[in-house]
Amino acid sequence: MYASFGGIGGSGPETGLELIRYAGSDGASDAVFPPLLFIHGAFAGAWCWEVHYLPHFAGLGYEAHALSLRGHGASAGRETLNSASLSHYVEDVAEAVESLPHPPVLIGHSMGGLVVDIALRQGVPAAGAVLLASVPPTGLAPSGMQMMLTEPRLLWQMGILQGFGPAWVDVDEAHRALFAEEMDPEVLLDYTSRMQPESQLALFEMGFPRWPRWGGVSVPVAVIGAEEDVIIPQWMVRTTAWLYGVEPRWIPGAGHATMLEPGWRRGADCLERALADLVRTGAGRS
């Protein structure tokens, strides 16, 4: 297995998008399952998947890729990030999909889940999708109001991150916002230092409902929530699952950044079961 970086051509930022790749080891799943393409959430980058999930799923035989949307991670476009819209992010996903040998299963976390939802409805080729702690089409305004009433300090810290960058973030508050488990202080500091401001335009767009208006989705979709998530609470996960006509799956004892928790294997196992079910419902490699 290995990771590769660099521009992937197409219509994205001029100098390219960061696409991290881990080649799958030999295994039965590699013969029947399409590639996995992981899409990060707001304030993050492809790095959040590389810590645990990319090597884990490559070890299971999957060809696993993680994309940094424009202006994130090592992708171009940081200087124009604030003008990046959700539609621009969908273009980035489409560009990454085009670079792969087969249509992938799209796995979107938080904001990335909403980007995947839009991409599917706009016809971006995919074999299936998993929406993980995803921003629902109802938008984030209800969640913001809930946090304002119940967790005002967390909402304030998100504003500090957006306005001043990760160096100004209270690490303890970031812990409460992202994780349900105790974290090694040095590991937590490393994660928070990698966070970054998000596009102002994309954050604005996520505040409003985006009810489906591009038609249905013809590929199988799984919806997963984290039981202890304070950013995307359970009722939001249930809303997304209801819109797709599926039952939500739950990662026990997990916070929002489930892929980075010490107990990340619980989330990975839940995702692995969802992928196996997608195979049974028609997401096999063509």
Side-chain angles (χ1 to χ4, degrees):
M1 67 187 68
Y2 62 96
S4 62
F5 303 82
I8 56 179
S11 60
E14 287 184 2
T15 54
L17 299 168
E18 179 185 33
L19 188 65
I20 305 176
R21 173 178 180 252
Y22 275 65
S25 60
D26 292 337
S29 60
D30 185 59
V32 299
F33 208 80
L36 308 180
L37 179 58
F38 292 87
I39 313 299
H40 63 83
F43 310 111
W47 64 267
C48 71
W49 302 109
E50 191 178 17
V51 176
H52 299 298
Y53 274 37
L54 292 187
H56 174 74
F57 282 96
L60 294 176
Y62 300 100
E63 186 176 296
H65 307 255
L67 170 69
S68 284
L69 300 167
R70 65 183 68 193
H72 297 76
S75 287
R78 186 69 66 97
E79 67 282 354
T80 57
L81 175 62
N82 278 331
S83 62
S85 67
L86 294 176
S87 293
H88 288 133
Y89 293 161
V90 171
E91 291 176 6
D92 296 342
V93 172
E95 182 179 340
V97 167
E98 188 177 355
S99 75
L100 301 179
H102 304 276
V105 171
L106 299 173
I107 303 167
H109 175 252
S110 195
M111 178 187 76
L114 182 59
V115 171
V116 167
D117 175 84
I118 299 170
L120 292 176
R121 297 182 188 281
Q122 290 188 344
V124 173
V130 179
L131 307 181
L132 173 60
S134 176
V135 174
T138 52
L140 279 179
S143 176
M145 293 178 64
Q146 180 175 327
M147 290 184 69
M148 189 179 300
L149 294 173
T150 62
E151 298 283 358
R153 293 183 63 183
L154 297 186
L155 197 62
W156 174 250
Q157 287 299 312
M158 292 173 69
I160 289 176
L161 171 61
Q162 180 65 10
F164 300 100
W168 294 84
V169 172
D170 185 310
V171 175
D172 291 334
E173 291 298 319
H175 183 195
R176 289 207 308 123
L178 296 174
F179 304 106
E181 300 179 73
E182 291 298 319
M183 300 282 292
D184 180 284
E186 292 186 4
V187 173
L188 179 61
L189 184 61
D190 176 48
Y191 292 162
T192 55
S193 69
R194 297 198 207 184
M195 297 169 68
Q196 64 168 84
E198 185 49 65
S199 162
Q200 293 277 19
L201 178 55
L203 290 175
F204 176 79
E205 290 179 319
M206 283 192 291
F208 296 91
R210 295 181 65 93
W211 296 107
R213 55 176 180 263
W214 300 284
V217 173
S218 60
V219 298
V221 175
V223 175
I224 299 176
E227 282 188 343
E228 305 301 325
D229 196 338
V230 298
I231 296 177
I232 304 295
Q234 291 192 19
W235 71 265
M236 282 193 161
V237 178
R238 296 185 190 278
T239 297
T240 302
W242 176 77
L243 288 169
Y244 273 95
V246 300
E247 287 295 320
R249 301 164 184 264
W250 300 102
I251 305 171
H256 188 65
T258 179
M259 76 290 288
L260 293 173
E261 295 229 48
W264 62 270
R265 280 294 301 268
R266 293 196 300 275
D269 290 345
C270 184
L271 176 55
E272 185 183 350
R273 291 190 294 270
L275 292 173
D277 287 344
L278 290 184
V279 170
R280 288 193 288 270
T281 53
R285 175 178 291 179
S286 58

